[in-house]
């Protein structure tokens, strides 16, 4: 028996791996993983627990080509799958477990730039799971944070069903609603249904398939977790996350994306997760149109070359629109419109070999940002050795804030040890004060036994703490939050990162906050940090800049005088 569409999928994988089709590292890894699994599963006498079933692969691909386009110039025409689409659906559905024949992959994560037919493919998968998967009473849900987004998958699925009379007759399908307001899809033959779930879902459902569209918009994992936890009664359920990149790396989608990258690279093992991420590589020149073709698998098919060329030119010419265009058309995650830091270069400065204990007894400049008494507070340590600066992070948050759904990412960071939760609903200043007194013993702080170094602080919300620290003979210096004070240290940090002369501890809270920093540029080329929106915190970044304002001048000015409150003024 011939399997033309499956052969198309396997050919695509081989061409990607051989370099005949340019692709990012994540796509190359996905293809290599499939080919390696094929080789392992076909070895004589192998004990590999999975096998690739061409019949199951061909079945969903053939089903897809029996559906019709519902919009655009191809409306009413049958789908003709592109090679990458054959790979995406054929591989994710073709692999089965040897022991029982059930599907191997229980979760699909697909990150694809806009206008590459991702919602259409999700609609086809939803219809297949609804009627063709052999599951009686299947429940298939199109889930999203808003009604409009949930219908991005459901509406084309509804219209495909309407335009497929043989499909409707075979499974005795009824459809509620109308073209304008589609209702649920129900099969009298199998007792299955396909419908939308919007916003915060309730418990009680038993999904066979949970289609989560544009997960990057979700502030919490509620919908994802509800879908996953409800699947326990199904023999081969499927979670399908299909999204573009987003603009908030604190949201759960980014953490899922990073986990998928680890699975693709082999750092983590998850045999039930299929991941396919179309983006560009770190070393790619994003201004080159060849790079745009690489990130958009349906280039010239569902997304036209002239449109992408126009977007590319806009991104090059208008820095204000650059990040959002790169995010949506190249799947480059970002946090702010006019970003300060090149996050690729920042991430390359992470040094897993360093730890703060190595610097005991050494002078330190500690930047404090206590901008809010009811939210996160930052303490950043900056050490200098030769021409290299070493950065470590510590964060505090009122414990009550970790129970807030809107700040679910804080709870995760607390659990992982990146943030310390203090009891109550307000920042525990006493806890921070005690930690700094310990710092004075461990590291060099002016006035301590160890010698030089300083606490560098924004005077806002820190008056009592600073007074108490001075009473403990710990040197503190106010760094006013003005352009004249922050511009040079911001530029210095940029230069150090670009040269690789700044090493940091990889704290994800700091990484998130650095990515959130936008900068204003005045007529004299001075820069100043700001954030877009209250949820894009930059406290850690400001604390780093504040500490660098002093650390970049390694020879302290001993003639400096104290102001009336006993605080050294810089």
């Amino acid at each position: 028996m011939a399997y033309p569409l499956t052969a198309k999928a396997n050919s695509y994988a081989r061409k990607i791996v051989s370099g005949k089709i340019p692709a990012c590292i994540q796509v190359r890894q996905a293809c290599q993983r499939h080919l390696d699994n094929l080789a392992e599963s076909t070895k004589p006498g192998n004990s590999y627990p999975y096998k690739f079933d061409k019949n199951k692969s061909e079945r969903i691909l053939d089903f897809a080509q029996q559906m019709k386009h519902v919009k655009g110039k191809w409306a009413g025409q049958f789908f003709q799958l592109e090679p990458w689409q054959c790979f995406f659906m054929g591989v994710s559905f073709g692999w089965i477990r040897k022991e029982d024949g059930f599907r191997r992959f229980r979760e699909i994560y697909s990150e694809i730039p806009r206008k590459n037919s991702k919602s259409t493919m999700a609609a086809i998968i939803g219809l297949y799971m609804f009627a063709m998967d052999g599951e009686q009473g299947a429940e298939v849900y199109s889930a999203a944070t808003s009604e409009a987004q949930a219908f991005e998958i459901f509406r084309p699925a509804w219209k495909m069903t309407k335009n497929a009379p043989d499909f409707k007759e075979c499974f005795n399908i009824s459809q509620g609603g109308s073209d304008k307001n589609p209702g649920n899809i129900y099969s009298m033959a199998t007792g299955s249904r396909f419908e939308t779930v919007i916003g915060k879902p309730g418990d009680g459902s038993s999904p066979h398939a949970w289609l989560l569209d544009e997960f990057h918009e979700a502030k919490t994992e509620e919908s994802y977790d509800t879908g996953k936890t409800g699947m326990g009664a199904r023999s081969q359920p499927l979670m399908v996350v299909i999204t573009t990149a987003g603009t908030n790396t604190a949201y759960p989608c980014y953490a899922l994306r990073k986990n998928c990258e680890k699975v693709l690279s082999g750092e983590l093992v998850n045999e039930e997760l299929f991941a396919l991420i179309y983006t560009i590589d770190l070393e790619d020149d994003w201004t080159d149109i060849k790079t745009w073709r690489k990130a958009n698998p349906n280039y010239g098919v569902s997304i036209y070359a002239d449109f992408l060329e126009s977007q590319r030119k806009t991104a090059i010419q208008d820095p204000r629109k650059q990040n959002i265009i790169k995010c949506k058309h190249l799947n480059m995650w970002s946090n702010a419109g006019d970003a300060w830091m090149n996050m690729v270069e920042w991430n390359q400065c992470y040094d897993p070999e360093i730890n703060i204990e190595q610097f005991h007894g050494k002078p330190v400049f500690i930047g404090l940002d206590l901008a809010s008494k009811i939210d996160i507070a930052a303490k950043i340590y900056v050490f200098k050795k030769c021409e290299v600066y070493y950065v470590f992070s510590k964060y505090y948050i009122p414990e009550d804030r970790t129970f807030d759904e809107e700040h679910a990412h804080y709870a995760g960071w607390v659990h992982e040890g990146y943030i310390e939760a203090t009891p109550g609903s307000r920042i525990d200043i006493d806890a921070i004060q005690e930690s700094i007194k310990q710092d004075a013993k461990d590291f060099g702080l002016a006035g301590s036994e160890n010698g030089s170094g300083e606490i560098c602080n924004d005077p806002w919300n820190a008056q009592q703490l600073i007074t108490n620290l001075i009473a403990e003979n710990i040197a503190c210096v106010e760094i006013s939050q003005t352009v004249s004070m922050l511009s040079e240290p911001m530029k210095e940090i940029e230069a150090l990162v670009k040269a690789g002369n700044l090493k940091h501890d990889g704290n994800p809270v700091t990484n998130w906050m650095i990515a959130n920093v936008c900068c204003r540029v005045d007529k004299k080329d001075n820069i100043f940090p700001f954030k877009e929106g209250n949820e894009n915190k930059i406290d850690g970044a400001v604390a780093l800049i504040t500490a660098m304002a002093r650390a970049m001048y390694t020879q302290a000015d001993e003639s400096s005088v104290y102001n009336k409150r006993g605080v050294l003024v810089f």
Side-chain angles (χ1 to χ4, degrees):
M1 178 180 176
Y3 301 94
L5 297 173
T6 300
K8 202 172 179 181
N10 289 333
S11 174
Y12 175 79
R14 289 190 292 269
K15 288 178 180 178
I16 289 289
V17 170
S18 68
K20 291 181 179 179
I21 299 177
C24 66
I25 183 62
Q26 292 87 353
V27 173
R28 298 198 302 273
Q29 288 170 338
C31 290
Q32 187 67 65
R33 181 192 190 198
H34 170 61
L35 296 177
D36 288 347
N37 290 169
L38 280 178
E40 183 67 25
S41 67
T42 54
K43 286 180 180 178
N46 76 86
S47 59
Y48 193 62
Y50 308 103
K51 68 177 182 178
F52 189 69
D53 188 326
K54 292 181 180 179
N55 287 305
K56 292 187 180 295
S57 169
E58 198 74 14
R59 191 166 188 260
I60 187 172
L61 298 176
D62 182 64
F63 172 77
Q65 293 204 151
Q66 293 183 45
M67 295 293 108
K68 293 180 180 179
H69 290 277
V70 297
K71 58 184 177 182
K73 71 176 184 179
W74 294 297
Q77 298 181 35
F78 289 104
F79 282 100
Q80 295 297 315
L81 296 176
E82 295 298 309
W84 76 275
Q85 294 170 321
C86 291
F87 176 81
F88 170 54
M89 289 190 286
V91 172
S92 58
F93 277 76
W95 281 100
I96 62 172
R97 302 190 305 205
K98 287 181 180 178
E99 62 177 359
D100 53 23
F102 289 138
R103 196 166 29 251
R104 166 189 172 182
F105 294 116
R106 304 301 178 91
E107 181 171 359
I108 293 173
Y109 180 84
S110 181
E111 193 173 293
I112 305 172
R114 292 190 67 191
K115 305 302 179 183
N116 280 274
S117 298
K118 64 182 184 300
S119 295
T120 299
M121 286 191 294
I124 291 171
I125 290 173
L127 290 175
Y128 185 88
M129 296 289 288
F130 158 73
M132 299 287 292
D133 207 36
E135 185 78 8
Q136 293 294 312
E139 297 174 25
V140 176
Y141 298 99
S142 175
T145 57
S146 67
E147 181 178 27
Q149 198 60 60
F151 274 93
E152 285 297 307
I153 290 176
F154 187 74
R155 181 172 282 106
W158 194 93
K159 290 184 177 179
M160 286 178 202
T161 303
K162 179 183 177 183
N163 296 337
D166 291 345
F167 175 58
K168 289 187 67 174
E169 181 180 353
C170 180
F171 293 97
N172 195 4
I173 295 172
S174 64
Q175 294 178 263
S178 62
D179 284 6
K180 185 177 180 180
N181 296 299
N184 75 341
I185 306 171
Y186 187 81
S187 168
M188 296 294 292
T190 63
S192 301
R193 68 177 187 267
F194 188 175
E195 55 194 38
T196 60
V197 173
I198 298 144
K200 183 178 180 179
D203 294 326
S205 60
S206 179
H208 180 52
W210 192 270
L211 314 175
L212 192 50
D213 194 25
E214 299 299 9
F215 188 38
H216 73 271
E217 296 179 353
K219 295 181 179 180
T220 72
E221 294 179 302
E222 283 179 334
S223 182
Y224 178 88
D225 288 343
T226 299
K228 290 277 280 191
T229 56
M231 291 177 172
R234 300 292 181 177
S235 56
Q236 52 175 2
L238 188 63
M239 165 69 72
V240 181
V241 176
I242 192 156
T243 186
T244 57
T247 56
N248 196 322
T249 57
Y251 285 0
C253 186
Y254 185 71
L256 179 57
R257 192 263 179 97
K258 300 306 289 184
N259 185 69
C260 289
E261 287 181 344
K262 291 178 180 179
V263 171
L264 289 173
S265 70
E267 183 179 345
L268 291 178
V269 176
N270 185 343
E271 297 287 12
E272 296 185 349
L273 170 66
F274 175 84
L276 190 61
I277 300 170
Y278 283 92
T279 181
I280 67 174
D281 291 313
L282 295 178
E283 67 273 15
D284 285 338
D285 177 6
W286 70 266
T287 65
D288 188 339
I289 192 61
K290 293 179 182 177
T291 299
W292 289 63
R293 297 189 66 163
K294 182 176 172 180
N296 290 271
N298 244 25
Y299 184 93
V301 181
S302 64
I303 185 164
Y304 295 115
D306 59 348
F307 172 77
L308 283 181
E309 176 62 15
S310 173
Q311 293 293 94
R312 184 184 71 90
K313 289 180 178 177
T314 298
I316 293 172
Q317 296 168 2
D318 190 345
R320 293 174 301 170
K321 297 179 180 178
Q322 189 175 110
N323 273 11
I324 193 64
I325 291 175
K326 287 159 66 177
C327 176
K328 296 308 173 188
H329 294 298
L330 296 176
N331 266 350
M332 298 174 67
W333 281 77
S334 65
N335 273 25
D338 301 311
W340 165 51
M341 183 60 65
N342 181 322
M343 290 307 295
V344 171
E345 295 174 347
W346 172 265
N347 290 332
Q348 289 172 342
C349 290
Y350 165 53
D351 188 344
E353 301 298 322
I354 61 173
N355 63 75
I356 198 166
E357 287 78 14
Q358 296 168 337
F359 293 84
H360 276 196
K362 305 297 182 183
V364 64
F365 293 86
I366 297 178
L368 289 181
D369 191 297
L370 311 178
S372 171
K373 293 182 179 179
I374 61 171
D375 207 339
I376 200 165
K379 181 171 69 167
I380 302 295
Y381 301 78
V382 177
F383 301 89
K384 185 179 182 183
K385 184 177 180 181
C386 298
E387 297 303 316
V388 179
Y389 291 81
Y390 296 86
V391 176
F392 300 91
S393 312
K394 180 72 177 178
Y395 295 94
Y396 304 85
I397 192 170
E399 189 175 39
D400 289 358
R401 295 290 274 176
T402 65
F403 304 128
D404 186 345
E405 289 181 2
E406 199 170 324
H407 300 91
H409 51 293
Y410 289 167
W413 283 328
V414 169
H415 177 72
E416 294 168 349
Y418 295 115
I419 303 178
E420 179 179 326
T422 60
S425 59
R426 294 168 63 87
I427 285 290
D428 188 343
I429 298 298
D430 290 339
I432 297 176
Q433 179 177 310
E434 290 304 309
S435 74
I436 294 174
K437 288 165 64 176
Q438 184 61 48
D439 292 331
K441 297 176 182 179
D442 293 339
F443 311 108
L445 288 173
S448 73
E449 296 178 0
N450 293 328
S452 62
E454 296 165 338
I455 299 298
C456 311
N457 66 283
D458 168 7
W460 186 253
N461 280 339
Q463 291 89 343
Q464 187 59 55
L465 172 63
I466 298 304
T467 299
N468 294 344
L469 293 177
I470 292 171
E472 295 287 342
N473 198 30
I474 296 173
C476 302
V477 55
E478 286 185 355
I479 307 295
S480 61
Q481 304 296 287
T482 61
V483 171
S484 62
M485 295 307 307
L486 301 187
S487 180
E488 286 306 310
M490 284 183 74
K491 291 179 179 180
E492 180 71 6
I493 293 168
E494 282 184 285
L496 290 168
V497 168
K498 188 173 291 292
N501 287 337
L502 183 148
K503 305 296 181 183
H504 61 79
D505 58 1
N507 188 310
V509 186
T510 306
N511 296 344
W512 172 57
M513 291 182 175
I514 291 288
N516 285 338
V517 178
C518 299
C519 63
R520 294 189 177 95
V521 183
D522 66 18
K523 294 180 180 180
K524 297 182 179 180
D525 203 32
N526 294 311
I527 59 177
F528 186 78
F530 74 99
K531 63 183 179 182
E532 290 185 336
N534 289 331
E535 59 192 24
N536 286 339
K537 306 298 181 185
I538 64 171
D539 309 73
V542 172
L544 171 59
I545 296 165
T546 300
M548 186 60 70
R550 290 294 287 174
M552 62 191 291
Y553 302 106
T554 55
Q555 299 299 319
D557 181 4
E558 300 297 338
S559 65
S560 297
V561 295
Y562 289 86
N563 67 13
K564 293 181 180 179
R565 294 197 296 112
V567 177
L568 186 65
V569 178
F570 176 44

